[in-house]
Amino acid sequence: DGGITQSPKYLFRKEGQNVTLSCEQNLNHDAMYWYRQDPGQGLRLIYYSQIVNDFQKGDIAEGYSVSREKKESFPLTVTSAQKNPTAFYLCASSLQWITNEKLFFGSGTQLSVL
Amino acid sequence: GENVEQHPSTLSVQEGDSAVIKCTYSDSASNYFPWYKQELGKRPQLIIDIRSNVGEKKDQRIAVTLNKTAKHFSLHITETQPEDSAVYFCAASPGGGNKLTFGTGTQLKVEL
């Protein structure tokens, strides 16, 4: 497995704490995405980035923030405003931000609240 | 926005039987429909996709059909094998970018 790496694999958040999930890709892809996966709810888009220095809100952006200062990196911060952060978080990338592009996923981060 | 419904949520079949998973979408502008497979503990991977100008696409034991009029598409797996056991997600994209709306997933179990 290579290409897109997420860390850590497991993360615990205390009440009122912000935590940051890392996502790095060496595929030279322009577009990157963050999805949240909850049991029985499929994958829901949090944020996406079409190109470096750009990012857009997805369907469930409240309580999250991102940055895209480097092409290969797209970290996600789960803020204290996210009241139900426990979930499995998947980062993905695609060559370009155009329809029909295959998504390449990372191996995910499981976030839990202490 | 787009809404994708997927059925069934769980599916058990005997090895060698066929499996069918169905999805419906709401946005008539959607024109790209991929299927992703997620094995236990692994990352989702694209297994097949179909575009709105095509009614059916096959890749060995896997096929996808699309009915634009009814706004539904289906995944067909023939001669199922234990390694087909996984969660399968359908998705739809309205074009103008790579924003996918996923279904809720189907847990397929192939029993020996």
Side-chain angles (χ1 to χ4, degrees):
Chain A
D1 284 333
I4 183 162
T5 304
Q6 289 185 241
S7 63
K9 189 171 183 179
Y10 300 97
L11 186 58
F12 297 91
R13 193 191 88 167
K14 295 179 180 178
E15 200 72 35
Q17 187 181 40
N18 293 353
V19 293
T20 298
L21 284 62
S22 171
C23 178
E24 302 276 333
Q25 54 99 359
N26 62 4
L27 301 169
N28 201 32
H29 285 177
D30 279 338
M32 297 187 74
Y33 315 76
W34 274 105
Y35 286 92
R36 171 176 170 146
Q37 186 174 19
D38 295 277
Q41 293 196 49
L43 304 172
R44 292 182 291 167
L45 183 63
I46 304 172
Y47 267 97
Y48 63 94
S49 169
Q50 298 183 32
I51 201 166
V52 65
N53 293 322
D54 162 83
F55 53 84
Q56 307 289 336
K57 292 182 179 179
D59 299 321
I60 55 166
E62 186 175 352
Y64 301 97
S65 65
V66 294
S67 62
R68 186 82 188 279
E69 298 175 359
K70 297 187 294 183
K71 186 175 186 178
E72 60 270 23
S73 179
F74 191 42
L76 173 74
T77 297
V78 183
T79 74
S80 57
Q82 173 50 244
K83 297 307 179 187
N84 184 25
T86 297
F88 189 62
Y89 291 85
L90 282 164
C91 179
S93 68
S94 64
L95 184 61
Q96 299 177 69
W97 171 255
I98 59 173
T99 308
N100 312 341
E101 281 287 343
K102 175 182 175 180
L103 293 182
F104 291 79
F105 285 91
S107 54
T109 293
Q110 176 65 52
L111 175 63
S112 302
V113 177
L114 289 176
Chain B
E2 176 64 278
N3 181 51
V4 177
E5 294 189 357
Q6 183 171 349
H7 299 281
S9 57
T10 60
L11 179 60
S12 290
V13 299
Q14 294 294 316
E15 183 180 8
D17 288 349
S18 295
V20 180
I21 302 171
K22 299 181 179 181
C23 290
T24 60
Y25 60 98
S26 61
D27 189 346
S28 56
S30 285
N31 58 16
Y32 174 60
F33 308 92
W35 287 86
Y36 283 80
K37 174 184 179 183
Q38 186 177 26
E39 296 178 56
L40 186 63
K42 296 190 176 181
R43 63 194 75 189
Q45 291 191 314
L46 178 69
I47 56 171
I48 196 167
D49 57 15
I50 191 167
R51 288 148 179 79
S52 60
N53 59 347
V54 176
E56 182 176 4
K57 183 177 179 180
K58 289 183 179 180
D59 183 2
Q60 299 182 353
R61 297 186 297 107
I62 293 174
V64 58
T65 59
L66 172 64
N67 183 327
K68 288 170 54 180
T69 303
K71 288 191 282 188
H72 68 71
F73 56 111
S74 300
L75 178 71
H76 304 254
I77 305 174
T78 59
E79 301 174 18
T80 54
Q81 301 169 4
E83 52 265 38
D84 294 328
S85 295
V87 178
Y88 292 81
F89 293 99
C90 63
S93 173
N98 207 24
K99 185 178 178 184
L100 293 174
T101 299
F102 283 86
T104 51
T106 296
Q107 174 74 61
L108 173 64
K109 183 177 180 181
V110 180
E111 298 175 334
L112 298 173

